[in-house]
Amino acid sequence: MSWTLAPEPPDSPDALALWRAYYTEVSDRWYLLHEGRRTDPGELEREIAAVPGTDLAPPRGLLLVGRYAGEAAGSAGFRLLGDGSTAELTRVFVRGHRRGTGGAVLLVRAAEEAARAAGASRMVLDTRGDLVEARTLYARLGYAETAPHNAEPTADHWFAKALG
């Protein structure tokens, strides 16, 4: 089995299903850690609807969907910031049962290449302390912790990498 990656509109059924799975997982992890509960379903729906991903569409962004054995199993996207020399990596996600198959590395590298092709020379991202797997992945791929580049309220780790 192998991964195939392709750009996809952020509002496609597969992209939306991956966004829902991603958001449910990271939201539940946060609430379980901080409040001992899962995300309230109504709150989850409001938050998913509030971030539709329209900024992950060309010409200033891109969403990649990864398929493993034909199943939409992962995603990664970027949006160009400011003058376009910096891109922000986002929505890096692989479904739990497909983790360990190399998809995350392929998705991040493909997002980096697409951002470079769009004119970015630097990639930034934010994440949280409880997302240990994500922080490990980014460090392994050459990202270094930096000062905050945004005011995301749940982020507590920021990374950057030259795309040169």
Side-chain angles (χ1 to χ4, degrees), residues 32-48:
L32 286 168
L33 179 65
H34 296 283
E35 297 183 11
R37 66 173 179 92
R38 294 196 179 277
T39 310
D40 172 81
E43 179 182 26
L44 181 69
E45 292 307 315
R46 284 189 303 278
E47 291 300 319
I48 288 171

Side-chain angles (χ1 to χ4, degrees), residues 27 38-39 42 48 51 101 119 130 147:
S27 182
R38 294 196 179 277
T39 310
I48 288 171
V51 188
T101 61
D130 63 306

Side-chain angles (χ1 to χ4, degrees), residues 7-20 48 51-58 61-65 75 77-78 91:
E8 192 147 334
D11 61 352
S12 76
D14 284 340
L16 290 172
L18 288 164
W19 174 227
R20 177 174 301 288
I48 288 171
V51 188
T54 53
D55 56 347
L56 302 179
L62 186 72
L63 180 69
L64 297 163
V65 168
S75 65
F78 77 87
R91 295 199 189 186

Side-chain angles (χ1 to χ4, degrees), residues 60 80-86 119:
R60 295 201 46 92
L80 295 175
L81 304 176
D83 67 0
S85 64
T86 298

Side-chain angles (χ1 to χ4, degrees), residues 122-133:
R122 179 175 180 251
M123 185 78 88
V124 297
L125 64 96
D126 65 65
T127 191
R128 300 187 327 231
D130 63 306
L131 300 177
V132 176
E133 307 91 340

